[in-house]
Amino acid sequence: MPVLENKDVTLNYATFGDRHNPALIFSNSLGTNYQMWQPQIAALQNEYFIICYDTRGHGKSSAPKGPYSLNDLGQDVIDLLDYLHIDKAFFCGISMGGMTGQWLAIHHPNRFHHLMLCNTAAKIGNEAAWNDRAQLVREQGLDPIAATAASRWFTEGFISSHPDVVETLSEALAAGSSEGYASCCEALSNADTRSQLQDIDAAITVVAGSADPVTTVEDAQYMVERIPNATLTTIEASHISNIEQPDVFNQFIRQYLVR
């Protein structure tokens, strides 16, 4: 797989489709890797030049010693686009990837046609809880987190009907880098865009899961009420909505990421 050797991190990435098509970059959630976007890659690679990457500390990207910051996560995207000689792209990020997208919209709006921010919030959780989780993972590894992740990621109905999908994602989380996960928790502990949302000068679609216990519909509404050019849409899913409702999610991409 191609990698970008960049400053303190090695980013694992993959591209799909014709480079002459509009570029669309996907950013994964905490505890996953770019493989989470397989339903979108399969459906959209004939329409877009798709770029997927493993967020630092995840998948096959390196896990430099943390803590990380939201600035680190966002700058990695800009550096990858520069490396690929892409001036402007569409963006879709989920959860932590949605926080990354907010940073990009605030600091580099000129690099994006439209950003889709999914199952995210301007402030996810609270600082103490994230730091406690980082400490837990450094002390006990990722097994305790992986054992309960499905209940946060998916509805009970999806867990019952798709046990193979749930098992694959849970196993990938357990096998990940404890240091990388903990360092991303520390990035999320300090990530807070609430005072900057009104300054975003980019087209935004916020996708909220109707059954998401982590980043709620109310969190999404808060963002849309403050971002000048934002649209809210909801999906009948929990936190990892692109996997729970792939057909609807792909339809949203085609509908909102207008070329």
Side-chain angles (χ1 to χ4, degrees):
M1 301 298 293
V3 296
L4 166 60
E5 298 283 353
N6 185 45
K7 302 171 187 172
D8 65 333
V9 67
T10 299
L11 287 181
N12 179 61
Y13 73 92
T15 62
F16 306 87
D18 188 340
R19 188 181 175 88
H20 294 95
N21 285 335
L24 167 57
I25 187 164
F26 287 102
S27 185
N28 60 281
S29 62
L30 180 68
T32 65
N33 56 58
Y34 85 72
Q35 299 291 339
M36 74 173 297
W37 299 109
Q38 286 298 330
Q40 285 65 55
I41 295 168
L44 300 168
Q45 62 181 318
N46 291 331
E47 302 168 48
Y48 294 91
F49 178 58
I50 293 177
I51 306 156
C52 295
Y53 73 102
D54 293 332
T55 296
R56 62 168 60 205
H58 288 68
K60 294 182 180 179
S61 289
S62 65
K65 183 174 175 55
Y68 309 154
S69 68
L70 186 58
N71 181 80
D72 294 326
L73 305 186
Q75 189 61 47
D76 285 342
V77 175
I78 296 299
D79 291 342
L80 181 56
L81 291 177
D82 288 346
Y83 178 74
L84 295 172
H85 304 292
I86 294 172
D87 293 329
K88 202 162 188 175
F90 292 96
F91 176 92
C92 180
I94 196 163
S95 191
M96 177 178 67
M99 287 289 320
T100 299
Q102 292 172 59
W103 185 93
L104 294 168
I106 292 164
H107 296 281
H108 295 277
N110 60 310
R111 298 299 298 271
F112 299 94
H113 303 290
H114 195 123
L115 299 96
M116 183 173 284
L117 312 177
C118 311
N119 301 91
T120 193
K123 175 64 177 174
I124 303 176
N126 64 74
E127 184 174 355
W130 284 119
N131 288 329
D132 287 346
R133 188 186 293 193
Q135 181 178 352
L136 171 69
V137 168
R138 287 195 173 104
E139 292 175 352
Q140 300 183 26
L142 284 164
D143 286 339
I145 300 296
T148 60
S151 64
R152 298 186 295 274
W153 285 347
F154 302 114
T155 61
E156 291 183 6
F158 185 87
I159 293 170
S160 297
S161 61
H162 296 80
D164 53 335
V165 175
V166 174
E167 182 179 8
T168 297
L169 287 167
S170 298
E171 288 179 350
L173 170 54
S177 165
S178 296
E179 177 59 33
Y181 185 99
S183 296
C184 281
C185 287
E186 290 165 337
L188 290 171
S189 76
N190 294 314
D192 186 348
T193 65
R194 287 175 292 187
S195 66
Q196 298 167 291
L197 295 178
Q198 72 273 10
D199 299 325
I200 291 178
D201 183 23
I204 303 291
T205 296
V206 180
V207 178
S210 60
D212 188 346
V214 181
T215 51
T216 64
V217 174
E218 289 73 23
D219 289 326
Q221 289 172 333
Y222 178 94
M223 296 170 63
V224 170
E225 288 169 0
R226 289 160 178 79
I227 299 172
N229 185 18
T231 300
L232 172 64
T233 189
T234 59
I235 188 168
E236 292 184 9
S238 187
H239 193 56
I240 309 296
S241 61
N242 72 300
I243 293 177
E244 184 156 355
Q245 292 278 7
D247 292 340
V248 177
F249 195 94
N250 295 342
Q251 179 183 336
F252 285 169
I253 290 177
R254 291 189 174 103
Q255 178 179 349
Y256 292 104
L257 299 190
V258 179
R259 285 175 276 183

